[in-house]
Amino acid sequence: MTFIDSHSHLYLEEFSADLPQVIERAKLAGVSRVLLPNIDSSTIKDMLRVADAYPGYCYPMIGVHPTSIKESFEEELQRVEDELSSGRSYIAIGEIGLDLYWDKTFLKEQLIAFDKQIQLALKYHLPVAIHSRDAFDELYAALLPYKDTELKGVFHSFTGSEAEVLKLLAFEGFMLGINGVVTFKNSTLWQVLSAVPLTRLLLETDAPYLTPVPYRGKRNESAYLRYTLHKLSEVYQKSIEEVARATTENTVRVFGEGVSKV
Ligand code: NI
């Protein structure tokens, strides 16, 4: 049985001391692939170094995270375009989106950057990994013009209401990325999932963040994805193997056959 970590920042300094062991534990736990969402121009080099060290196992994305959208956002976007036209292979545009939790100062710029990166996704026929925090209405409005396009992707780290989930599921090419949050004792995400068929879920860690119980508070790593998988197997009352198989198929549907080769 194998499954895919569709969102993991294994290139951050939290892993610089023991990445080979982290990868080894991921493989032993059953993680068959790890997708690496970029953050901004400062992380590309480290991300590509990890992707090159583990070819066929770690797949890089390219994009600018909304919390990195500031005065110099146009240079950040240019770097994304340069990478896309460089011939280097990227599996998706990510992570991109809107984040109004930390700071609303650059909302206008965040909206411009989000739209621009969606257009790049369409131009290069790539899926998008979308981050949204305290910005559901703005995000929904920004995505609506693309509802009937070929745009596909994942709403990464989904934590919203049932009404919100239904609005997002109407985007047929999109999945919800579920991580350790679903294992938190105070989370009601598992209830919201009753509105979500298993055909629309992806597994992700968002490592080094959002560590599942029983390691909550510690550094997250891809091997811990099995705790999220176990929780989903309880929530859906399906076997662990079935949830692993379904989420792997869903990941291939969004990110392409490239992530399915064994
Ligand atoms: Ni992330």
Side-chain angles (χ1 to χ4, degrees):
M1 175 189 72
T2 60
F3 40 95
I4 297 174
D5 185 354
S6 66
H7 191 113
S8 189
H9 302 277
L10 293 185
Y11 53 84
L12 294 179
E13 64 175 356
E14 281 88 340
F15 299 102
S16 58
D18 65 342
L19 185 62
Q21 289 88 336
V22 167
I23 297 281
E24 201 47 46
R25 285 195 291 271
K27 288 179 175 172
L28 285 172
V31 177
S32 66
R33 295 287 185 274
V34 180
L35 310 189
L36 307 172
N38 188 43
I39 295 171
D40 58 33
S41 59
S42 74
T43 53
I44 295 173
K45 202 170 138 219
D46 289 340
M47 177 182 68
L48 293 180
R49 192 185 301 132
V50 170
D52 288 341
Y54 301 97
Y57 193 74
C58 292
Y59 292 80
M61 306 182 193
I62 191 71
V64 189
H65 192 285
T67 56
S68 293
I69 298 293
K70 306 225 159 81
E71 289 89 349
S72 61
F73 78 101
E74 281 171 326
E75 287 147 51
E76 286 287 334
L77 291 176
Q78 186 58 50
R79 182 68 197 276
V80 171
E81 289 204 66
D82 291 348
E83 286 297 320
L84 285 167
S85 58
S86 72
R88 170 96 208 191
S89 143
Y90 288 99
I91 198 145
I93 305 290
E95 56 185 291
I96 64 173
L98 301 174
D99 192 316
L100 303 181
Y101 176 79
W102 298 104
D103 192 356
K104 293 185 176 65
T105 315
F106 295 103
L107 172 59
K108 197 181 109 216
E109 289 80 0
Q110 285 192 34
L111 286 166
I112 294 168
F114 184 47
D115 193 69
K116 171 76 188 173
Q117 293 182 95
I118 289 173
Q119 289 180 31
L120 286 172
L122 290 170
K123 179 179 171 188
Y124 286 90
H125 307 287
L126 290 172
V128 288
I130 294 180
H131 166 110
S132 169
R133 192 164 185 197
D134 283 4
F136 183 86
D137 292 340
E138 291 85 352
L139 185 94
Y140 186 74
L143 272 178
L144 214 46
Y146 298 99
K147 199 167 186 179
D148 295 317
T149 66
E150 66 164 69
L151 189 69
K152 58 182 182 171
V154 53
F155 296 107
H156 136 71
S157 194
F158 176 78
T159 51
S161 68
E162 189 172 328
E164 288 172 350
V165 89
L166 293 174
K167 286 174 102 172
L168 296 183
L169 288 176
F171 289 85
E172 287 175 2
F174 277 78
M175 304 281 172
L176 303 184
I178 303 296
N179 54 44
V181 170
V182 76
T183 70
F184 295 176
K185 294 211 168 37
N186 57 353
S187 167
T188 52
L189 178 58
W190 60 274
Q191 293 168 316
V192 175
L193 288 179
S194 62
V196 184
L198 200 48
T199 51
R200 303 298 296 278
L201 292 190
L202 304 187
L203 295 174
E204 61 171 50
T205 56
D206 204 19
Y209 317 111
L210 302 176
T211 315
V213 172
Y215 294 109
R216 190 174 180 185
K218 305 249 168 57
R219 180 190 73 173
N220 199 3
E221 60 175 76
S222 294
Y224 297 165
L225 194 56
R226 64 183 186 276
Y227 298 104
T228 300
L229 174 64
H230 278 240
K231 180 69 185 184
L232 286 177
S233 128
E234 277 173 41
V235 170
Y236 282 88
Q237 300 190 324
K238 305 265 189 214
S239 71
I240 290 166
E241 289 77 10
E242 211 168 328
V243 177
R245 193 181 329 114
T247 53
T248 298
E249 281 171 16
N250 299 342
T251 310
V252 172
R253 268 171 60 203
V254 171
F255 293 97
E257 287 296 327
V259 295
S260 70
K261 292 188 198 103
V262 180

